[in-house]
């Protein structure tokens, strides 16, 4: 399978003879990750301002996820080239952090269910589309690195989920506009929390598996 080995990024210091997951230790991946961090920071500021103005659960979830991704991607960048133990530890931290974000989003949605009027559907859709465009650019930078170790894989999963999430937010704005109700926004906020929890589980499960595999090595 030499053709497949040459067409994908390889883990540093490893040949095609062994099935070794890409660990991100290439200059091209580092540059892509730096750009993705910058994109997420811009997305956080723009969507946070809109979410606070509108009091939207789905937009607040989106903004919080942009911030969490910026932090976790920075951790991923730091962990590149480190030992397997450090990389899996970083992935575990990201998984736990993503789970905390999910619970925070669910809590905010529950609080909004008892307070406030319906946000502007047009504003939610506009900011959702902005977030989708930002994540589409980020996904384009990362798509060739979607398969890798837990550290690399977590970056791709977060970016892919964020793109889906932003499209869901944009659709939510349409529902809020059509119904004049805040419930579509709150429901989507809770659903997004479920998506975050699922991703957190996948990241933690892969990181633990890689950690156990390292301990089993002679």
């Amino acid at each position: 399978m030499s053709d497949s080995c040459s067409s994908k990024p390889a883990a540093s210091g490893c040949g095609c003879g062994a099935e070794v997951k890409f660990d991100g230790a290439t200059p091209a991946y580092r540059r892509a990750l730096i750009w993705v961090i910058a994109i997420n920071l811009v997305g956080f500021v723009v969507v946070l301002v809109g979410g606070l103005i509108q009091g939207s659960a789905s937009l607040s979830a989106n903004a919080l996820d942009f911030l969490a991704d910026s932090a976790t991607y920075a951790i991923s960048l730091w962990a590149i080239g480190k030992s397997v133990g450090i990389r899996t530890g970083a992935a575990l931290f990201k998984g736990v952090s993503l789970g905390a974000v999910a619970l925070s989003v669910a809590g905010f949605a529950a609080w909004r269910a008892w307070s406030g009027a319906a946000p502007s559907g047009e504003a939610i859709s506009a900011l959702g589309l902005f977030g989708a465009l930002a994540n589409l650019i980020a996904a384009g930078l990362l798509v060739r690195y979607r398969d890798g170790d837990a550290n690399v894989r977590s970056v791709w999963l977060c970016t892919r989920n964020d793109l889906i999430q932003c499209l869901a937010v944009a659709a939510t704005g349409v529902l809020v506009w059509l119904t004049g109700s805040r419930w579509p926004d709150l429901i989507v906020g809770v659903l997004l929390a479920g998506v975050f929890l699922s991703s957190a589980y996948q990241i933690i499960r892969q990181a633990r598996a890689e950690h156990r595999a390292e301990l089993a090595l002679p």
Side-chain angles (χ1 to χ4, degrees), residues 54-184:
Q54 294 298 322
S56 165
S58 60
L59 285 178
S60 296
N62 205 0
L64 191 58
D65 192 48
F66 270 121
L67 178 61
D69 286 348
S70 299
T72 56
Y73 295 167
I75 293 172
S76 293
L77 184 62
W78 169 81
I80 289 173
K82 301 289 195 302
S83 68
V84 174
I86 291 177
R87 296 200 311 273
T88 55
L92 281 171
F93 175 79
K94 287 186 289 183
V96 172
S97 299
L98 189 57
V101 168
L103 295 177
S104 298
V105 170
F108 180 78
W111 174 75
R112 285 293 298 166
W114 301 103
S115 63
S120 167
E122 295 91 335
I124 293 175
S125 290
L127 288 168
L129 289 174
F130 167 81
L133 177 60
N135 280 293
L136 183 61
I137 295 172
L141 292 170
L142 295 170
V143 64
R144 67 183 296 246
Y145 307 108
R146 61 187 180 276
D147 295 318
D149 65 10
N151 194 42
V152 172
R153 178 70 173 163
S154 66
V155 172
W156 169 251
L157 283 175
C158 288
T159 303
R160 182 203 65 184
N161 288 346
D162 290 349
L163 176 57
I164 297 171
Q165 151 194 330
C166 289
L167 292 174
V169 170
T172 299
V174 175
L175 291 176
V176 170
W177 175 70
L178 288 174
T179 63
S181 169
R182 68 177 181 267
W183 285 107

Side-chain angles (χ1 to χ4, degrees), residues 22 24 26-40 73 77 80 137-145 155 159:
F22 175 60
T26 65
Y29 183 73
R30 291 175 187 270
R31 285 193 299 270
L33 201 50
I34 289 171
W35 275 108
V36 170
I37 291 170
I39 290 169
N40 275 271
Y73 295 167
L77 184 62
I80 289 173
I137 295 172
L141 292 170
L142 295 170
V143 64
R144 67 183 296 246
Y145 307 108
V155 172
T159 303

Side-chain angles (χ1 to χ4, degrees), residues 195-212:
V195 171
F196 298 164
L197 280 175
S198 176
S199 295
Y201 171 74
Q202 292 182 57
I203 293 168
I204 292 172
R205 183 179 63 179
Q206 182 175 352
R208 292 184 64 187
E210 292 179 4
H211 181 65
R212 287 194 298 268

